[in-house]
Amino acid sequence: MTSTFTSPQGRNPDASTAAVMADGVSKVYGSGDAAVHALRGVSIGFVSGVFTAIMGPSGSGKSTLMHCLAGLDTVTSGRIMLGDAEITGLSDRQLTLLRRDRVGFVFQAFNLLPTLTAEQNIRLPLDLAGRKADQAWFDQVVDVVGLRDRLGHRPSELSGGQQQRVACARALVARPDVIFADEPTGNLDSRSGAEVLGFLRASVREMGQTIVMVTHDPVAASYADRVVFLRDGEIVSEIVQPTPDAVLDQLKRLGA
Ligand SMILES: Nc1ncnc2c1ncn2[C@@H]1O[C@H](COP(=O)(O)OP(=O)(O)OP(=O)(O)O)[C@@H](O)[C@H]1O
Ligand SMILES: [Mg+2]
């Protein structure tokens, strides 16, 4: 199904309002008898300042879609637009620069450097890009994630939830156009998970961040403004202002 979903603001995302957009994207791994059609003509826009969750059964194409949207994987056909830039067709070097400047990532494994303090980890992407953090923005990010009194600690001295909040702050401090999160609470207990999700939602509400998050958890998805459901490489439905029960019902209908 091709979708022109209406955003919570009632706008149809297009190249002028979408932070990131997939237009007729297909992804085939392998070839011949071994070909796997991971995405089949997916069209979807993610409006700036909106928190979207992507759900669906295992193998439905969630991670593939996220990797294609983020320029971490190439598409077989179709286009990906990041803001006004078409990223499909860029060279590896151009993609690396675009990702560095415009995209943030939060993964299931926190991917923090163990020898650096929380503050050094948060500043690392900017340091690598030779950019200086705007101090007021750094302070705002640190306060939103509630890490002010933990900045001097190393990852091993932080709880799982605190480590993931450091990873979120690291993604946020560079002011990316969009943050992609793949199962960001997958390794956390429910209390730490709620902390991280509350922070992600706050960064959308208070800072206008755009977030696309893959999750299996209906409660995690209910923190988002919008949930889109994939099955067999296609977008099959959407819920705006989701509740855990509505998400669970939809997952049951999809046989997830
Ligand atoms: N590098 C690859 N080579 C071959 N097939 C792949 C590759 N990556 C993914 N696939 C296949 O593409 C399909 C979609 O995979 P994907 O990882 O996007 O699913 P997912 O929805 O993220 O699943 P999960 O919930 O288990 O993480 C699956 O059938 C998977 O086996
Ligand atoms: Mg996956």
Side-chain angles (χ1 to χ4, degrees):
M1 182 173 95
T2 299
S3 59
T4 47
F5 290 134
T6 305
S7 73
Q9 286 88 352
R11 285 177 295 163
N12 272 321
D14 57 33
S16 63
T17 56
V20 60
M21 193 174 75
D23 180 17
V25 166
S26 293
K27 175 70 182 180
V28 184
Y29 290 109
S31 60
D33 286 350
V36 176
H37 293 262
L39 297 174
R40 305 170 187 263
V42 170
S43 294
I44 186 167
F46 299 90
V47 177
S48 290
V50 173
F51 185 1
T52 307
I54 299 178
M55 301 193 85
S58 182
S60 58
K62 301 179 298 294
S63 294
T64 303
L65 176 59
M66 175 166 289
H67 293 160
C68 288
L69 289 169
L72 290 170
D73 201 351
T74 58
V75 305
T76 305
S77 61
R79 292 186 315 156
I80 304 284
M81 303 288 297
L82 190 59
D84 54 7
E86 180 175 347
I87 66 168
T88 24
L90 293 184
S91 68
D92 282 352
R93 162 126 189 98
Q94 288 170 316
L95 264 181
T96 302
L97 290 177
L98 199 78
R99 270 202 307 269
R100 191 185 75 184
D101 293 338
R102 294 171 64 165
V103 177
F105 295 99
V106 180
F107 294 106
Q108 188 168 348
F110 317 131
N111 292 325
L112 301 178
L113 291 184
T115 57
L116 300 185
T117 64
E119 174 158 2
Q120 288 166 336
N121 268 289
I122 293 170
R123 291 185 186 275
L124 186 64
L126 290 172
D127 289 346
L128 291 175
R131 285 163 61 193
K132 240 182 107 49
D134 168 350
Q135 190 58 40
W137 178 247
F138 177 86
D139 286 338
Q140 193 183 343
V141 168
V142 166
D143 287 337
V144 169
V145 296
L147 287 170
R148 174 68 55 199
D149 57 350
R150 292 287 187 278
L151 285 177
H153 290 57
R154 295 203 162 72
S156 61
E157 300 161 345
L158 298 172
S159 71
Q162 289 168 340
Q163 290 182 57
Q164 192 62 308
R165 283 188 281 145
V166 172
C168 291
R170 179 183 56 184
L172 205 61
V173 79
R175 297 183 186 239
D177 293 351
V178 53
I179 290 178
F180 293 102
D182 201 347
E183 296 274 354
T185 56
N187 277 331
L188 301 177
D189 60 52
S190 58
R191 187 163 154 256
S192 303
E195 263 172 32
V196 167
L197 290 161
F199 157 65
L200 290 175
R201 184 165 61 188
S203 74
V204 171
R205 297 271 187 282
E206 294 168 26
M207 301 170 169
Q209 185 59 57
T210 309
I211 298 180
V212 180
M213 170 181 78
V214 169
T215 181
H216 284 103
D217 175 3
V219 173
S222 73
Y223 281 74
D225 300 307
R226 170 194 189 204
V227 185
V228 296
F229 296 87
L230 280 174
R231 187 175 58 191
D232 296 334
E234 291 181 293
I235 293 172
V236 290
S237 62
E238 158 179 40
I239 299 177
V240 173
Q241 290 169 353
T243 62
D245 284 346
V247 171
L248 200 56
D249 280 352
Q250 189 59 37
L251 286 175
K252 281 185 193 148
R253 273 198 285 276
L254 295 177

